[in-house]
Amino acid sequence: MLYQRSSALFKEAQEVIPGGVNSPVRAFNAVGGTPIFAKSAKGAYVYDEDGNRFIDYINSWGPMLLGHAFPPVVDAVIEKTKLGTSFGMPTAIETEIAELAVSMVPNIDKIRFVNSGTEACMSAIRLARGFTKKDKIIKFAGCYHGHSDSFLIAAGSGAVTFGTPNSPGVTQGTAKDTLLARYNDLENVKELVEANTNEIAAIIIEPVAGNMGCIPPVDGFLEGLRHLCDAHHILLIFDEVMTGFRLAKGGVQELKGIKADIVCFGKVVGGGLPVGAFAARNEIMNYLAPLGPVYQAGTLSGNPLAMAAGLAMLKAVNADTGLMNRLEEKTKYLHNGIADALNKNGVAHTINSIGSMISVHFAEGAVVDFDSAAKGNNETFKTFFHGMLNAGIYIAPSAFETWFITDALTYEDLNATIAAVEQVAKTL
Ligand SMILES: Cc1ncc(COP(=O)(O)O)c(C=O)c1O
């Protein structure tokens, strides 16, 4: 494939945008080469500026559960736009999408809309701290909750010590209130809780992790966190920015039957427009301004175009009783096909998948946490990534990302993907 126009555009972009991109992972730093510039997308395909077509497994990093340019979303946005693009006043559609979301997701009474997943998670921990009147939070190594300061934290030296900033600009003062635990390791979380009695406001987790590749929770892990939180008056925050309205209509709470105290959303909830949200039972949400003392606001929060896109999306997800099964079947088909292709060629790998999330780790043995994900062979991944790209298959340009399966994918697309893996596997 030729990427001449993408290369020229990237060169131009780098003059005026840091690294040529508005979000770092787009820059291909982890895999090398020049990022391709998207021009348009429809259904399961994205088209670049050079006219190449790719079967898309990124899907805008998650929102496009039903495919690109999903007609009900496109139509809803066009119609809303004609009425004005922002008012800074309440609108009826905000209540409409809130009512629908509350009806789809278990254990929530109220929801507040924001503009991104980052904002949702940032606001959720502020609310948890205000509500519990405690300062510290526990997060898990390898889980991503957006780029607000409290989450850009690496593990400190000892298992039970506080974290350290993992980006310049994050202060030690902020880092000391974030504790890092190992995903799927309940004992580790217990140690942290016991070493910080009465200090932990919240445990925040991706209940199915997607930001170290796809890593589902092991049996009993989420239940264990729930019990621990109940015993210590800690709020359990499910960051369902990736999984919400995706792994089940009610997200992982519904899928696994575990109750979270606060739930964060993003991606699917906005149907491809900039939307995030956080939600909880009344007792917690009523702590938020203007009802309560915890401040949170946004000029464009609940923006009518974003709400129109989100509402069209949630309505479609809610109405489609076969959707989750179809997505799961497609994912399983891909999982088995890729595993066969890699096994035939003797390529060491582990595939994790659940619902419509899947990732190929080029590591042997179970991948259950950040350390086991990090054992993956990055050189193999780079070759795999570029081989797939040249075969017209667009997967995330990092080994630490999940692939997102969209309902727009046909079995022909899946077969083409598996055939590409078979070819590329010969080069690994
Ligand atoms: C689980 C999770 N939480 C939060 C975020 C941050 O969302 P945003 O990029 O919309 O700020 C992401 C983004 O990928 C995510 O995957």
Side-chain angles (χ1 to χ4, degrees), residues 99-122:
E99 282 171 350
L100 180 56
V102 166
S103 77
M104 291 171 77
V105 177
N107 310 313
I108 64 168
D109 297 315
K110 291 197 175 96
I111 184 165
R112 167 76 47 96
F113 287 95
V114 293
N115 304 290
S116 66
T118 294
E119 261 189 84
C121 296
M122 177 186 86

Side-chain angles (χ1 to χ4, degrees), residues 116-119 121 144-147 206 211 239 241-242 267:
S116 66
T118 294
E119 261 189 84
C121 296
Y144 179 67
H145 306 293
H147 64 91
E206 288 179 67
N211 283 291
D239 176 354
V241 166
M242 259 190 201
K267 303 190 189 276

Side-chain angles (χ1 to χ4, degrees), residues 127-128 131-132 201-203 229 233-237 261-262 281 284:
L127 179 57
F131 183 77
T132 59
I203 296 177
C229 286
H233 305 290
I234 295 170
L235 296 187
L236 181 59
I237 304 177
D261 296 304
I262 305 181
R281 59 184 183 271
I284 297 173

Side-chain angles (χ1 to χ4, degrees), residues 86-306:
S86 179
F87 312 110
M89 294 159 70
T91 54
I93 195 168
E94 291 163 81
T95 310
E96 207 183 334
I97 184 173
E99 282 171 350
L100 180 56
V102 166
S103 77
M104 291 171 77
V105 177
N107 310 313
I108 64 168
D109 297 315
K110 291 197 175 96
I111 184 165
R112 167 76 47 96
F113 287 95
V114 293
N115 304 290
S116 66
T118 294
E119 261 189 84
C121 296
M122 177 186 86
S123 307
I125 56 162
R126 184 182 305 140
L127 179 57
R129 285 168 164 158
F131 183 77
T132 59
K133 301 185 175 52
K134 296 187 275 185
D135 287 346
K136 292 186 180 174
I137 58 162
I138 294 177
K139 81 171 280 287
F140 293 87
C143 282
Y144 179 67
H145 306 293
H147 64 91
S148 82
D149 287 7
S150 294
F151 300 123
L152 294 185
I153 306 296
S157 47
V160 292
T161 59
F162 47 77
T164 58
N166 73 354
S167 164
V170 176
T171 65
Q172 292 288 351
T174 299
K176 79 176 175 32
D177 285 330
T178 301
L179 310 174
L180 264 284
R182 265 188 308 276
Y183 201 81
N184 276 327
D185 186 345
L186 195 56
E187 284 310 310
N188 183 224
V189 187
K190 279 186 189 157
E191 276 172 37
L192 287 174
V193 169
E194 278 157 19
N196 295 274
T197 334
N198 290 329
E199 290 188 276
I200 315 269
I203 296 177
I204 184 165
I205 185 165
E206 288 179 67
V208 166
N211 283 291
M212 41 188 165
C214 172
I215 300 187
V218 296
D219 283 349
F221 180 57
L222 297 177
E223 289 87 340
L225 291 182
R226 179 69 269 169
H227 290 141
L228 200 57
C229 286
D230 288 342
H232 294 269
H233 305 290
I234 295 170
L235 296 187
L236 181 59
I237 304 177
F238 273 9
D239 176 354
E240 299 229 38
V241 166
M242 259 190 201
T243 55
F245 307 104
R246 166 177 289 280
L247 293 188
K249 286 175 189 172
V252 179
Q253 284 196 97
E254 178 188 325
L255 187 73
K256 298 283 182 188
I258 311 280
K259 183 178 166 193
D261 296 304
I262 305 181
V263 194
C264 304
F265 298 105
K267 303 190 189 276
V268 173
V269 76
L273 269 78
V275 181
F278 59 105
R281 59 184 183 271
N282 278 325
E283 183 196 9
I284 297 173
M285 289 309 271
N286 292 349
Y287 232 74
L288 210 54
L291 278 184
V294 173
Y295 193 68
Q296 188 279 325
T299 299
L300 290 175
S301 292
N303 171 268
L305 310 191

Side-chain angles (χ1 to χ4, degrees), residues 344-368:
K344 242 189 257 172
N345 289 283
V347 180
H349 70 279
T350 298
I351 301 177
N352 285 350
S353 71
I354 178 169
S356 52
M357 291 163 66
I358 178 169
S359 59
V360 181
H361 300 266
F362 290 105
E364 254 165 327
V367 176
V368 293

Side-chain angles (χ1 to χ4, degrees), residues 71-87:
V73 169
V74 172
D75 293 346
V77 174
I78 290 172
E79 285 312 306
K80 260 293 178 227
T81 305
K82 294 176 189 164
L83 301 175
T85 55
S86 179
F87 312 110

Side-chain angles (χ1 to χ4, degrees), residues 322-366:
L323 174 66
M324 297 299 157
N325 279 344
R326 281 200 309 279
L327 288 166
E328 193 175 357
E329 289 304 312
K330 287 178 188 179
T331 307
K332 280 187 184 152
Y333 186 84
L334 194 64
H335 183 142
N336 293 335
I338 294 176
D340 285 350
L342 293 176
N343 283 333
K344 242 189 257 172
N345 289 283
V347 180
H349 70 279
T350 298
I351 301 177
N352 285 350
S353 71
I354 178 169
S356 52
M357 291 163 66
I358 178 169
S359 59
V360 181
H361 300 266
F362 290 105
E364 254 165 327

